[in-house]
Amino acid sequence: MIVFLLIVHSLLAVALLGAITHQTISAWVPASCGAADSFIARMRAVPPTSYVNAVLVLYALTALLGAIIYPSYRLNVRIVLEQMQLYIPNGAFELKEHFVALGLGMLPAYWYFWRAPHVAQYGRTRAILTALLAFIVWWGFVVGHILNNIRGFDL
Amino acid sequence: MSDAVAISKFVIAFAVAYALLYVLSVQYNLALFTYHAATEEFHFLVQPTTDGPALEVARMRPLDISSAIFSSSGLAQRRS
């Protein structure tokens, strides 16, 4: 059951990573008029508001599933990491927990400032909030995968 | 003050206050509940561990964890 939940957790994280990355790119470097029809230009041209609800739901669901499977990690993985003195991956995962928890507190602000995307004066606020959430999601994704595959790193 | 301005101030204040309270809660271990995963016990507020690690904020040192495992599995006696 834990393996199934872990896979669902990672699949939700993939979807969240895609949504927040597209939104961050389009918030920071929106496509200019008449831009070339390249892959990068199309990525910059996505409407950032269309990702807001998806990011909110996926962030909450991914964090919730992570919390549900956390006791198994705490008992079966972290203890081994500490006994093997793998402090860097262990600390990176602790940072992930803290970053994700802090990101949850940012979600109301994120939701509010994306509610009115036409208000130009909040443009920088939206971009910074989105970038912070993107950093949290990328950190969590990369660290989660490193921990999941740590036996393959020959540490 | 219009509603929009009030809400924008509230959500910013909430995010900042949430972060500050989170840091204080972690630093001083102010947990609302404790879950002892090994024994599947659930308690409100912080409860010291009896067997295995407790998941309040889970800040045990490696030595504590090792001794908890060895004592619960009987390895402590074999090691000594």
Side-chain angles (χ1 to χ4, degrees), chain A residues 19 22-23 26-27 45-56 110-111 113-118 126:
Chain A
H22 273 93
Q23 193 182 35
S26 63
V46 296
T49 47
S50 60
Y51 292 101
V52 176
N53 289 339
V55 167
L56 288 168
Y110 167 84
W111 167 77
F113 287 111
W114 275 109
R115 266 183 66 221
H118 54 277
R126 281 193 294 271

Side-chain angles (χ1 to χ4, degrees), chain B residues 18-61:
Chain B
Y18 177 97
L20 290 175
L21 287 174
Y22 180 79
V23 170
L24 290 174
S25 302
V26 171
Q27 187 64 32
Y28 297 104
N29 205 15
L30 305 172
L32 280 178
F33 59 86
T34 305
Y35 176 59
H36 298 275
T39 53
E40 297 185 354
E41 291 175 47
F42 187 91
H43 301 281
F44 285 104
L45 302 177
V46 177
Q47 290 290 326
T49 180
T50 54
D51 188 16
L55 274 67
E56 349 86 17
V57 182
R59 292 205 162 273
M60 297 174 78
R61 290 170 297 150

Side-chain angles (χ1 to χ4, degrees), chain A residues 69-120:
Chain A
I69 58 180
Y70 182 75
S72 179
Y73 162 81
R74 183 69 180 81
L75 284 178
N76 301 317
V77 180
R78 186 175 140 169
I79 290 171
V80 178
L81 294 178
E82 297 200 356
Q83 287 182 327
M84 294 175 72
Q85 300 185 338
L86 296 173
Y87 296 125
I88 291 177
N90 193 15
F93 198 86
E94 282 219 3
L95 277 177
K96 171 184 171 174
E97 298 162 16
H98 295 314
F99 286 159
V100 170
L102 290 170
L104 280 172
M106 283 168 34
L107 288 183
Y110 167 84
W111 167 77
Y112 176 77
F113 287 111
W114 275 109
R115 266 183 66 221
H118 54 277
V119 181

Side-chain angles (χ1 to χ4, degrees), chain A residues 83, chain B residues 51-52 60-76 79:
Chain A
Q83 287 182 327
Chain B
D51 188 16
M60 297 174 78
R61 290 170 297 150
L63 189 62
D64 297 336
I65 294 170
S66 304
S67 57
I69 295 167
F70 288 136
S71 61
S72 63
S73 63
L75 286 173
R79 284 179 103 206

